[in-house]
C-alpha cells in the first residue's frame, strides 16, 4: 500500500463511525443522489461499488430495483459500518485494483467521490474493462472544480495534505483515460459541485 493509499485508509478509518454527519459525508450526499437518479439498473444486476464507504450508495440503488450489491473499500472501519447496516449486501476490505472478480462478471461499477484518491487510476480503469460484462458500465462522481483550483490542489496542496487525495481531474482528462483503455462510449458532464462520468464497455 503506497503512502497516499495509506493516508486515505487512516483518514476514513477515523471518521467512519460519524461519516454521515462529517463534512465529507455531507459533501457526498449530492453526488450519491445524482448517481442514484442517473444509473440505469435492471433486475438482478451485479453492482460493484468501489470505495463504497459505509454502503449508502448501494442502499439507495437497491431501493430502485433488486440488485446483487457488492462493496469494497480500503477502510476497515467503513466496511465494518457497512456490514452492520446492510447485512444482506456483500462488503470486503479490498483496494481499487486489482479487482478480485473474474472476467466479464460485473454489470455496473460505481465510484462516488473517491477516484481522486486512486494512486494509479489507469490500473483501476483497466480492471474495470476486464471485469465488466459486454455493455457493462462504469459510473463515477467526482468534485467539480475549475482549472485554477485544480492546478493549485494538484501542484501544491496535495503534496502536503495527509488526507490521501492524489489528483483532481477535469472533464477531458478523465474522459481520455477511459477512451485510452478501450471504453467505446464515454459521457461526462458537470452539475453544480459534481462531475459525473458514464463509460460503457
Amino acid at each position: 500500500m503506497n503512502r497516499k493509499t495509506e493516508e486515505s485508509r487512516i483518514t476514513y478509518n477515523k471518521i467512519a463511525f460519524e461519516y454521515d454527519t462529517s463534512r465529507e459525508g455531507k459533501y457526498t450526499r449530492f453526488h450519491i443522489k445524482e448517481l442514484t437518479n442517473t444509473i440505469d439498473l435492471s433486475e438482478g444486476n451485479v453492482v460493484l461499488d468501489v470505495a463504497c464507504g459505509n454502503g449508502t450508495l448501494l442502499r439507495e440503488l437497491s431501493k430502485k430495483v433488486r440488485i446483487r450489491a457488492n462493496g469494497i473499500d480500503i477502510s476497515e472501519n467503513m466496511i465494518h459500518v457497512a456490514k452492520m447496516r446492510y447485512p444482506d449486501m456483500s462488503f470486503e476490505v479490498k483496494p481499487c485494483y486489482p479487482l478480485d472478480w473474474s472476467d466479464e462478471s460485473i454489470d455496473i461499477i460505481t465510484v462516488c467521490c473517491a477516484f481522486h484518491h486512486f494512486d494509479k487510476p489507469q490500473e483501476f480503469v483497466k480492471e474495470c474493462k476486464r471485469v465488466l460484462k459486454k455493455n457493462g458500465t462504469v459510473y463515477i462522481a467526482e468534485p467539480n472544480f475549475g482549472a485554477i483550483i485544480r492546478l493549485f490542489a494538484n501542484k501544491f496542496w496535495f503534496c502536503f495534505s495527509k488526507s490521501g487525495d492524489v489528483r483532481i481531474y477535469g472533464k477531458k482528462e478523465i474522459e481520455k483515460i477511459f477512451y485510452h483503455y478501450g471504453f467505446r462510449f464515454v459521457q461526462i458532464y458537470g452539475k453544480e459541485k459534481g462531475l459525473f462520468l458514464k463509460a460503457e464497455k
Side-chain angles (χ1 to χ4, degrees):
M1 188 177 294
N2 77 0
R3 180 175 64 87
K4 284 293 185 180
T5 303
E6 177 64 12
E7 288 175 357
S8 294
R9 187 184 73 84
I10 292 170
T11 296
Y12 288 95
N13 271 342
K14 287 180 179 178
I15 65 174
F17 298 102
E18 296 83 30
Y19 181 76
D20 290 338
T21 56
S22 71
R23 181 175 59 86
E24 292 269 352
K26 292 176 181 178
Y27 180 80
T28 60
R29 287 176 190 168
F30 169 78
H31 300 79
I32 289 173
K33 182 178 180 181
E34 181 69 11
L35 283 176
T36 302
N37 291 337
T38 303
I39 293 174
D40 296 319
L41 292 168
S42 297
E43 186 84 10
N45 273 167
V46 180
V47 179
L48 173 61
D49 188 19
V50 179
C52 65
N54 61 17
T56 301
L57 176 58
L58 285 174
R59 177 197 67 190
E60 295 303 309
L61 293 177
S62 68
K63 291 178 180 178
K64 296 177 66 175
V65 66
R66 188 162 55 89
I67 60 173
R68 294 168 60 188
N70 305 272
I72 60 172
D73 201 290
I74 58 169
S75 166
E76 299 90 347
N77 289 348
M78 281 291 200
I79 291 297
H80 175 74
V81 173
K83 286 181 174 181
M84 292 291 289
R85 289 184 174 183
Y86 315 114
D88 57 330
M89 299 180 185
S90 175
F91 295 100
E92 295 184 273
V93 179
K94 290 184 181 294
C96 66
Y97 74 91
L99 295 175
D100 193 19
W101 272 265
S102 58
D103 295 359
E104 300 187 348
S105 59
I106 305 291
D107 294 294
I108 292 171
I109 295 174
T110 57
V111 184
C112 186
C113 294
F115 191 74
H116 60 282
H117 283 270
F118 294 175
D119 65 310
K120 293 181 179 178
Q122 295 85 354
E123 294 299 320
F124 166 71
V125 175
K126 285 168 62 177
E127 281 290 88
C128 289
K129 184 71 163 31
R130 179 183 67 81
V131 304
L132 281 172
K133 298 177 183 179
K134 183 179 180 181
N135 300 320
T137 309
V138 180
Y139 292 89
I140 291 179
E142 276 286 278
N144 185 22
F145 294 120
I148 295 176
I149 293 177
R150 292 201 311 271
L151 178 64
F152 175 80
N154 294 336
K155 291 288 186 181
F156 304 105
W157 176 249
F158 292 165
C159 296
F160 303 101
S161 169
K162 300 296 183 183
S163 59
D165 300 292
V166 176
R167 182 175 185 83
I168 297 176
Y169 299 89
K171 290 181 182 179
K172 291 183 179 179
E173 192 175 12
I174 194 169
E175 180 184 60
K176 183 178 179 181
I177 296 173
F178 278 85
Y179 273 130
H180 179 78
Y181 288 100
F183 281 80
R184 63 184 178 86
F185 173 77
V186 182
Q187 177 184 9
I188 187 165
Y189 66 93
K191 182 178 179 180
E192 298 179 27
K193 57 187 175 183
L195 192 64
F196 300 91
L197 173 136
K198 176 183 179 180
E200 294 182 8
K201 180 176 175 180

